[in-house]
Amino acid sequence: MGVASAYQDQRVVVTGAGGGIGAALARGFAARGATVVVNDLDSDRAAAVAASIGDCATALPGDASAVAAEAREALGGEVDVYCANAGIAAGGDAFADEGVWEAAWDTNVMAHVRAARLLLPHWLERGSGRFVSTVSAAGLLTMIGAAPYSVTKHGALAFAEWLSLTYRHRGVRVHAICPQGVRTDMLAAAGSAGELVLAPTAIEPDAVADALFDGMEKGRFLILPHPEVAQHAAGRAADPDRWLRGMNRLQRTWEQR
């Protein structure tokens, strides 16, 4: 079955879809025949993206950490694909405020958990469902200057892995998208650390969406729009101390900027 027909008439939710990767995912699914709920905390941005897609898209403003039930209702009580894309790029170090850590944890991890709790019973009963988690390469590696972001993205990846290994034999497909820099508002907000680490190889959101659709067609769990991330992750696993020394050099370079 080709990609175009695979998503025909599928019911899809994309959180954080008011721009960037989320908007690209929503447009990509719609172009392949799906009906899409476009969720974003910013109601105007959600409405604009839904309007640009057309009649097969519905804008649903609201907090991604608690939107799954309403999104399901907007799709007539059924969800075939849930894209947990919304995220908080929380910078800071170990001394970041408790509220920063809590907000990052709530959106970057618990929003995924809550959506899965709601969707899994029906998916398991019918034997099919697809959960897409936008993680970032920070979940496989890390990101300097962003402890809350890095830690919670590791959590998002761990949860996606757990879902996949637990339910794949029961028809639930899980995909974790792990790009490096993507030309979005989030990259712009990453400041000098983003300029140093992410900007030089940044790609467009549409390239991330293309990588997801290619990966879904091939049944891949890990979606790497930047293929070099696989090499970095392999090096980290093979020799953690060497990798940490290299990252520490990057940290010192950033501190000296």
Side-chain angles (χ1 to χ4, degrees), residues 88-115:
I88 294 180
D93 55 19
F95 301 99
D97 289 344
E98 289 285 323
V100 172
W101 283 95
E102 289 171 3
W105 185 258
D106 192 61
T107 299
N108 295 347
V109 180
M110 291 308 300
H112 302 200
V113 175
R114 294 184 189 112

Side-chain angles (χ1 to χ4, degrees), residues 12-13 15 25 29 81-86 112 123 130-135 160 163 173-177 212 216 223:
V12 179
V13 179
T15 66
L25 296 181
F29 277 107
V81 183
Y82 193 92
C83 298
N85 171 77
H112 302 200
W123 284 357
R130 196 178 294 269
F131 195 93
V132 178
S133 175
T134 300
V135 175
L163 286 177
R173 298 291 174 257
V174 184
H175 310 276
I177 309 174
L212 173 64
M216 288 193 297
I223 309 297

